[in-house]
Amino acid sequence: MAVVVVESPAKAKTINKYLGSDYTVLASFGHVRDLPPKDGSVDPDDDFAMKWEVASDSKKHIKAISDALASDDELILATDPDREGEAISWHLEQALASKLKSKKVSRVTFNAITKAAITEAMQHPRQVDKPLVEAYLARRALDYLVGFNLSPVLWRKLPGARSAGRVQSVCLRLIVEREMEIEAFRAREYWTVTAVLSTPRGQEYTARLTVLGGKKLDKFDLSTATDAEMAVQAVTSRDLTVTSVEAKPASRNPYPPFMTSTLQQEASRKFGMGAKACMQAAQRLYEAGYITYMRTDGIDMAPEAVMAARAEIERRFGEKYVPKSPRMYKNKAKNAQEAHECIRPTDMSLDPGKIRVADDQQRLYDLIWKRTLASQMEAARLERTNVDIGSRDAQVELRATGQVVTFDGFLKIYDQGRDDDDDDDGARLPQIMQGEPAEKKSVTPDQHFTQPPPRYTEATLVKRMEELGIGRPSTYASILTTIVDRGYVKKDKNRLIPEDTGRLVTVFLSNYFRRYVEYDFTADLEEQLDDISAGSRDYKDVLARFWRDFSAAIGETSELRISEVLDKIDEVLAPHLYPPRADGTDPRICPVCHQGRLHLKTARSGGAFIGCGNYPECRYTRPISVPADGEAAALDGTVLGHDEGLEVTLRIGRFGPYVQKGEPTEDQPKPPRASLPKGWRPEAMDLEKALQLLSLPREIGPHPEDGAPVEAGIGRFGPFVKHNSTYANLPEVDEVFTIGMNRAIEVLAQKLARGPGRGAAAKALRSLGEHPDGGVVEVMPGRYGPYVKWGKVNATLTKDMDPETVTLEEALPLITAKAGKGGKKAPARKAKATEKKAPAKKPAAKKAATKKKAASEG
């Protein structure tokens, strides 16, 4: 009997159904080995030797596979069909080397978890692909060398920075540079003139002015309201006639089927789904056998899948929706590190409404199914109409555009979302005849301003990375997750905005490691990795060339002082940090003491801010992301009034504007302060508002049920009402100061009805009684199903156990197994010193035994 190893239990379960009892299918639970996160795991001085370590969680999975091989003579590695899958198979082969000396080892790949695909794969075994593994080794070594050599430089030279990565830093640069473009953008005014016209039959349509004074209008020709009014007068003072009507047929071809990047982009556009969430949902669908492999750079579709799609289109929509010949899509990517077939359903006839999966998976499957069928459907046929309306003297001309779909084709099932609103060709026009008069109903000038480039969404950033050749399908999601988790970027309404630290890191790297954050350099390195996976380049040569230059660049920064780094960043970011003031004064002069010069500084806790060089005499500070535009800076220290004999002032601090009552004294080193809530402008502050903020939290009154106080306040997550440990959000800040008891009870009740939040403890469903070692055993509701709880031990109920009828005797074995597995302690109880020491020795002894065994096996 052969042992088949895949990555996940879900995949193992599905495959086991198709292979039957002749095979033992086990899961490796992902990678089983990795480079230890410490210096020396990749040694450039020893021909880039890599020291791998089996993860502690993986040891039990390796043991399970090893035990199965004791009675079986064959190991089949059936991990995913891409570089990462090949790497997992290689790691398994290496980790199990001592057990495989007399065993047959083979590698099989399949693009879909279906009976046909798996049966076909089993008939074509091969060995682990060495070039693909070498591409993985090169990537891991490069990422390690950059991370473990560049990150310490950041820590020493730029306090507050957390890490740098080979691709993540380039991705961060894209986001930071886009933000700097937005900040440097200056809106330009322009006007358009639109007329509502009517045919002799009374049907209205809209036209836009395109010619004025006999000259075709450019975008900025009407730059002021006066220009626009003159244009309106020119139109209204003339009779208009339809000079031409031109109708042209057009067609729209369907989009190709999904690959990883386009799936992530469309899921973001249509569902607001992040790259990581998209890939997790796609992974579940793949493991369940519903779609093909989801990490791919290919848009090719297997011939049998194309024919199945065409048959399903004809069955559902009729013969006219099936093109005469199958549509063939050619892939632009040269990448050889990933799988190559598109992402598609494994069964074209499986309607999205018939699969039983979680909501996010259902939506994603529906998207993939529609896109796949649409890619093989007939083109949509349109009729686009342009109507020109002009004056007899040819001084004025307007144009009306319209579009009508004459045959919907692929649009019957699917249309791609858009990243940003595009101008369309208008809707259907009424019947308009050449030579007929056009009666003016209204002529309107419209003011417009040019818009800055939009911030990146995950979808548009992945698209841009793909265009530049940065990253690969298997890395997009992890790159985006990393820069957000590191605190370099935040997401706001699905848009990516760089944090202050992200700006500083980008400027630092762009000045001292410019080559390594250049788009062309990173893309070229990706192509070299592609060459390695294709077997046309030696991976150690690539590593040697990279390390030679990179280590030299690291060495050049060894003498850099933090003050030099800050001066350089201060200089580069000066237009952002110190924009010109309206009064023309020097933007770097401190607005409080008017003597010191403003400069970029770092805090002990990390991060950066702008501070006065006259410290400690002047303690003026502000955040780097809030420009000192004269107005905001001038408001710092404004006296709003007096309360109880103390000045109430408005301050502009490092973390934004706030109000303060009094000054620091020995008795009260921290006077009362309150930050301005979101939406409150510093220039609109007065004494009344300041005192309202300083009085928070505000007691509304005793709760009618238990007499405990009900309070309203403003926290880090916004305005709230509170009763005991229950917090409920309020929609508006102003409501904090006006909310009464009836409304507060209503909001709190709504919160309780929604169930416990992140900070609230779930209520037990049942108590099963005392554990023999002390402590109550309870049945609890859980996100992934009911479980039993004893102290810190949580054990999931098996599927055949009913939470309403489960007994203490049935629960105890589950708790014992879970406690032994996780090494968790029982609830505290009084015990002798000897009883306390005994358990502490066992894990140490076990660990030593494990090391000894591993050494003997190796």
Side-chain angles (χ1 to χ4, degrees), residues 74-77 86 89-90 93 100 103-109 124-133:
E74 184 178 2
L75 173 65
I76 301 174
L77 301 166
E86 208 70 21
S89 286
W90 176 77
E93 208 171 7
L100 298 176
K103 310 286 183 182
K104 179 183 176 183
V105 182
S106 60
R107 168 91 168 104
V108 298
T109 58
H124 299 90
R126 59 172 174 81
Q127 295 304 302
V128 170
D129 188 322
K130 185 180 177 183
L132 208 52
V133 171

Side-chain angles (χ1 to χ4, degrees), residues 258 261-273 367 371 414 416-420 457-460 463 494:
F258 283 128
S261 60
T262 52
L263 176 63
Q264 290 176 0
Q265 291 164 37
E266 192 71 340
S268 176
R269 293 186 195 107
K270 291 195 168 174
F271 310 136
M273 190 182 282
L367 192 66
R371 174 89 164 216
Y414 177 85
Q416 180 168 285
R418 297 177 179 181
D419 295 317
D420 297 290
T457 62
E458 287 198 6
T460 55
K463 184 178 180 182
N494 211 30

Side-chain angles (χ1 to χ4, degrees), residues 236-370:
T236 54
S237 63
R238 288 171 169 80
D239 293 331
L240 301 176
T241 305
V242 177
T243 56
S244 74
V245 178
E246 184 181 27
K248 288 183 178 180
S251 64
R252 274 184 65 190
N253 288 319
Y255 301 94
F258 283 128
M259 56 182 175
T260 303
S261 60
T262 52
L263 176 63
Q264 290 176 0
Q265 291 164 37
E266 192 71 340
S268 176
R269 293 186 195 107
K270 291 195 168 174
F271 310 136
M273 190 182 282
K276 183 178 180 181
C278 172
M279 295 313 290
Q280 286 175 339
Q283 177 93 31
R284 301 288 179 270
L285 291 170
Y286 165 67
E287 290 172 345
Y290 291 125
I291 64 170
T292 52
Y293 191 58
M294 67 287 157
R295 279 188 282 273
T296 172
D297 65 350
I299 52 175
D300 301 332
M301 197 186 302
E304 61 272 18
V306 171
M307 301 315 294
R310 288 169 62 83
E312 187 63 20
I313 293 163
E314 183 174 354
R315 185 181 75 82
R316 286 178 178 270
F317 308 112
E319 190 177 346
K320 66 179 181 179
Y321 284 90
V322 184
K324 291 181 180 178
S325 58
R327 292 187 177 276
M328 305 302 291
Y329 296 96
K330 189 175 181 182
N331 197 22
K332 296 177 184 177
K334 297 182 293 181
N335 176 24
Q337 300 177 62
E338 314 290 346
H340 293 296
E341 195 186 354
C342 68
I343 304 170
R344 60 169 176 82
T346 54
D347 181 357
M348 300 295 177
S349 64
L350 185 58
D351 190 281
K354 293 180 181 177
I355 67 169
R356 298 181 63 185
V357 291
D359 288 348
D360 59 337
Q361 296 171 44
Q362 181 98 34
R363 287 184 297 163
L364 201 66
Y365 179 81
D366 181 69
L367 192 66
I368 294 167
W369 181 77
K370 287 178 176 176

